[in-house]
Amino acid sequence: MKPLYLLSFLLMFFHSCTDRVKEKKTEDNLFYDLAFEFRDKEMYDSAFFYFNKAKELFLLQKDSLGAGRCLVNMGIISTRKGDYFGGQEISLNALSHFDKKKEDQYFYIHSNFNNLGIATHNLGNYKDALKFYDSAIKFSRDSLDTRLYLNNKGKTYQVIREYGEALKIYNQILKGASKNRKEYARALTNISLTKWLQDSTYNAVPNYLKALQIREEENDLWGQNSSYSHLSDFYAKKQVDSALIYANKMYDVAIKIKSADDRLAALRKLIKLNPPKVAKEYFQAYQNLNDSLQTARNLAKNQFALIRYETEKHKTDFLKAQAENVKKQNNILRQNFALGILASVMLIGYWLYRKRKKELQQEKELEVKNTEIKYVKKIHDRVANKVYQVMSEVENTSHINKENLMDKLEVLYNISRDISYERELNTEKNYALQLSKMMKSYSSEIIEIFIIGNEEELWEGVSSEAKTEVFYIMQELMTNMRKHSKAESVVTRFSRSNDTINICYLDNGVGMNNAVKKNGLTNTENRIKSIRGTITFDTTAEKEFEIRLSFPFS
């Protein structure tokens, strides 16, 4: 796993160097440049520190991609230093900073998923590691990167002993790596190792040696280290001398490539393969190196955790101070706002007082005017129309009975007096009879008046207000008929359907002209509307006048 991880790190390294040149043109971040300088010198603690500071600066600059790049590098450094939990956590955090719809960000996305796969594999969660490798492959657009991630996936299948799946992957890599000798050697080695793990009788040596020859020709020390390790394992139970030779070669190469993990692996082989006396020396060297390595890794873990803690603490303190400052400013704003509200309330109160005073004055004036209109209307409806009714009776009576005339004049007097005392028409008893009597009073030798359906039952449940308005409407119609229509016959039909009273008035006079409607029937329209009713005028015939009235009584 170690050589594969190193290749992954180098790919990230070369791409980041190219990308760093482009970044300077858009957004300066000196911490980012410093981080790369320390990483190039393999001073990973300092590199991690400056990547973290660069990330915070990118966040302040609202550069999510820049922050994501920093987190990818921090995750790789943590995993490389053995802090697998830290590497996993940082890489998961990095995912939210990338846009999976933008292909120019795919390199960072698949590098990050690969690091998640490596960290998760090392934590023993192989199922999730495979998923992360699949995601890395999905976003990879470079065949070399894809084969690298496939190789890592094959290693995981190898560890969980799903050798068939591992061989499928390695054979796929072998086909694509024919032009790249290093990759070809790696794939050939992995295929042979998997077959040997699957079947201990399988002779993996020919392919191991073929791969080793390619690696020596290519001066691939990391590859040679891998070949020596597998050859030593193969011969461990068959030819101890050969196993020892390859274990020693592995140890020498591990020192050259400065790989502490591979030195430990070589020492473990030497301890098992040598006699007890010699093995004791190797065991002491193993203990010293292992203790040193664990101490360094623990220091790295603590250092990385401390850097992140200090950054978060600084951010928290800054946010706390900022919140307190905002709180103070808010308190001042609240005080100013309260004073402003108080002043506004006082101004509005004074304005409302003046407005209300003016409205009250207008209401008084309107009340006086409405009272005047009310009495004018009552005089028109109850006195003028009644006077015209009496005049009509006198006109159509050949012999005037003084007593009868006096009675009618007394009625007029009483009506006038009732207006002054705000008395209204009595609609509680014999309303239908009063209505018919009033309408019949407009008849003469020339004018016949027919009333249909005006029964007391018709008016049951109808409000006093509606009855009063209907009485004056019909009185208005009869008066207009006598004044203007020159009718000889008047028919009025009353009917009731569901919750509606319907009235149809029809005469055979000259019809209606604009003057008649303007002067007499406007009041009729207003009255019917006041009881939520409707009025329809039908003057289609040349010598006929029809009005339909309807109103709800419930």
Side-chain angles (χ1 to χ4, degrees):
M1 179 65 73
K2 191 69 179 179
L4 299 177
Y5 182 78
L6 178 66
L7 181 56
S8 175
F9 186 79
L10 290 174
L11 285 170
M12 185 67 189
F13 170 77
F14 288 123
H15 193 281
S16 299
C17 289
T18 305
D19 189 65
R20 194 159 34 116
V21 175
K22 298 177 182 177
E23 287 167 23
K24 284 191 174 183
K25 297 178 182 178
T26 56
E27 192 74 66
D28 287 331
N29 190 326
L30 296 178
F31 296 129
Y32 195 59
D33 295 330
L34 279 171
F36 276 103
E37 288 179 16
F38 283 112
R39 197 190 69 175
D40 296 348
K41 297 174 183 177
E42 298 186 2
M43 299 172 66
Y44 296 113
D45 293 354
S46 298
F48 186 95
F49 175 80
Y50 283 107
F51 274 128
N52 192 53
K53 292 184 75 67
K55 176 202 70 174
E56 295 302 319
L57 181 55
F58 278 130
L59 290 175
L60 286 175
Q61 295 168 345
K62 297 183 179 180
D63 184 349
S64 181
L65 177 59
R69 287 194 296 258
C70 291
L71 286 167
V72 171
N73 280 282
M74 291 166 67
I76 290 173
I77 290 172
S78 295
T79 304
R80 179 180 173 80
K81 284 293 187 178
D83 182 10
Y84 303 123
F85 281 112
Q88 187 183 64
E89 180 186 352
I90 294 170
S91 292
L92 286 171
N93 186 16
L95 290 175
S96 62
H97 293 275
F98 298 116
D99 186 347
K100 294 180 180 179
K101 295 179 181 179
K102 295 182 178 180
E103 194 164 343
D104 60 345
Q105 297 185 21
Y106 281 8
F107 174 80
Y108 303 104
I109 295 172
H110 67 68
S111 297
N112 195 59
F113 274 123
N114 182 55
N115 187 63
L116 276 168
I118 293 169
T120 307
H121 175 102
N122 281 290
L123 290 170
N125 187 351
Y126 303 114
K127 184 177 179 181
D128 286 340
L130 290 170
K131 291 180 181 178
F132 287 131
Y133 288 136
D134 284 337
S135 295
I137 293 165
K138 175 183 174 182
F139 287 96
S140 174
R141 294 295 180 269
D142 182 86
S143 59
L144 178 63
D145 292 342
T146 302
R147 290 194 296 272
L148 169 66
Y149 304 150
L150 282 169
N151 194 77
N152 289 351
K153 185 178 177 182
K155 278 289 182 182
T156 301
Y157 276 126
Q158 197 181 80
V159 170
I160 60 177
R161 299 182 179 182
E162 291 189 21
Y163 300 120
E165 294 298 323
L167 284 172
K168 287 180 186 178
I169 292 173
Y170 290 139
N171 283 314
Q172 180 184 347
I173 296 170
L174 190 66
K175 291 177 183 178
S178 58
K179 294 181 181 180
N180 187 315
R181 300 190 72 202
K182 288 184 179 180
E183 276 194 280
Y184 179 82
R186 183 176 68 230
L188 189 63
T189 300
N190 284 327
I191 290 172
S192 300
L193 173 62
T194 306
K195 287 181 178 180
W196 178 66
L197 291 171
Q198 191 177 30
D199 179 8
S200 61
T201 63
Y202 174 76
N203 184 11
V205 173
N207 284 335
Y208 281 163
L209 293 174
K210 183 178 180 180
L212 177 59
Q213 182 180 353
I214 294 172
R215 286 166 168 173
E216 288 174 343
E217 290 172 358
E218 295 292 324
N219 195 29
D220 179 9
L221 293 178
W222 283 96
Q224 292 174 39
N225 180 73
S226 172
S227 292
Y228 293 144
S229 174
H230 298 319
L231 283 164
S232 178
D233 290 338
F234 181 84
Y235 284 119
K237 294 181 180 180
K238 300 176 181 180
Q239 298 179 29
V240 176
D241 291 344
S242 297
L244 268 171
I245 291 170
Y246 288 119
N248 278 304
K249 287 185 176 183
M250 179 185 177
Y251 184 73
D252 293 337
V253 172
I255 293 173
K256 290 179 182 179
I257 60 178
K258 299 180 181 179
S259 173
D261 287 318
D262 288 311
R263 283 174 65 192
L264 287 174
L267 285 169
R268 282 195 293 270
K269 297 179 191 302
L270 291 169
I271 291 168
K272 289 180 182 179
L273 296 170
N274 277 292
K277 290 183 180 180
V278 180
K280 185 176 180 181
E281 296 178 9
Y282 287 118
F283 182 77
Q284 187 62 47
Y286 176 87
Q287 274 193 321
N288 293 338
L289 180 59
N290 187 56
D291 291 344
S292 175
L293 183 60
Q294 291 302 320
T295 300
R297 283 181 173 171
N298 289 333
L299 285 174
K301 289 180 185 179
N302 294 334
Q303 183 67 18
F304 296 155
L306 183 62
I307 290 170
R308 292 164 63 197
Y309 169 77
E310 289 294 337
T311 301
E312 292 302 318
K313 184 175 182 299
H314 176 72
K315 188 187 295 185
T316 302
D317 292 342
F318 174 76
L319 292 174
K320 184 178 179 181
Q322 193 176 46
E324 290 177 355
N325 187 42
V326 169
K327 186 177 180 181
K328 290 178 182 178
Q329 291 178 349
N330 287 341
N331 288 335
I332 295 171
L333 285 174
R334 288 192 193 96
Q335 292 174 359
N336 293 337
F337 183 71
L339 291 173
I341 290 291
L342 181 61
S344 299
V345 168
M346 292 177 67
L347 288 171
I348 292 171
Y350 178 72
W351 177 75
L352 290 174
Y353 167 75
R354 292 291 301 272
K355 183 181 178 183
R356 183 59 182 158
K357 187 176 179 182
K358 186 176 180 180
E359 286 175 351
L360 289 172
Q361 182 66 28
Q362 290 175 343
E363 286 174 4
K364 288 180 181 178
E365 293 174 358
L366 184 61
E367 185 179 353
V368 172
K369 185 176 181 180
N370 287 338
T371 303
E372 291 174 354
I373 293 171
K374 178 181 177 182
Y375 281 108
V376 168
K377 185 179 178 183
K378 284 190 174 184
I379 290 169
H380 173 271
D381 292 340
R382 301 180 63 185
V383 178
N385 286 340
K386 189 67 177 178
V387 168
Y388 193 85
Q389 181 183 340
V390 172
M391 288 170 62
S392 177
E393 291 178 15
V394 170
E395 181 183 355
N396 293 297
T397 305
S398 55
H399 299 288
I400 299 174
N401 187 322
K402 289 184 178 181
E403 290 184 4
N404 190 25
L405 181 60
M406 288 298 293
D407 289 340
K408 293 183 182 298
L409 291 173
E410 185 177 0
V411 170
L412 281 170
Y413 168 74
N414 287 332
I415 290 173
S416 301
R417 185 184 61 187
D418 287 347
I419 290 173
S420 66
Y421 287 103
E422 293 291 335
R423 294 179 183 174
E424 298 292 342
L425 177 70
N426 184 4
T427 61
E428 298 300 323
K429 294 181 180 180
N430 303 319
Y431 173 74
L433 180 62
Q434 293 181 65
L435 183 59
S436 293
K437 186 177 179 182
M438 178 274 292
M439 295 172 65
K440 286 283 188 181
S441 68
Y442 285 88
S443 64
S444 67
E445 293 178 357
I446 301 172
I447 304 171
E448 289 185 289
I449 297 177
F450 300 95
I451 303 173
I452 303 168
N454 183 31
E455 306 294 340
E456 291 297 336
E457 292 81 4
L458 178 79
W459 302 100
E460 288 182 1
V462 180
S463 66
S464 296
E465 178 188 1
K467 290 178 182 178
T468 301
E469 295 297 341
V470 169
F471 187 91
Y472 291 131
I473 287 171
M474 299 312 300
Q475 189 178 62
E476 185 74 43
L477 292 176
M478 300 307 290
T479 299
N480 277 301
M481 178 272 297
R482 283 297 301 269
K483 284 183 178 181
H484 306 291
S485 73
K486 299 179 183 180
E488 295 176 354
S489 175
V490 178
V491 178
T492 306
R493 177 179 282 106
F494 295 86
S495 64
R496 176 170 179 161
S497 61
N498 297 328
D499 295 333
T500 304
I501 300 292
N502 301 302
I503 304 171
C504 179
Y505 169 90
L506 179 67
D507 69 39
N508 62 351
V510 295
M512 180 184 68
N513 56 48
N514 290 333
V516 171
K517 184 176 180 182
K518 180 178 179 182
N519 297 329
L521 296 182
T522 302
N523 285 339
T524 302
E525 289 182 300
N526 292 335
R527 284 186 181 281
I528 196 68
K529 287 179 181 177
S530 71
I531 56 174
R532 298 180 291 121
T534 59
I535 182 169
T536 305
F537 298 93
D538 187 357
T539 58
T540 56
E542 291 183 1
K543 291 188 177 182
E544 191 174 276
F545 179 46
E546 182 178 349
I547 295 179
R548 294 184 182 275
L549 305 165
S550 64
F551 65 91
F553 62 83
S554 59

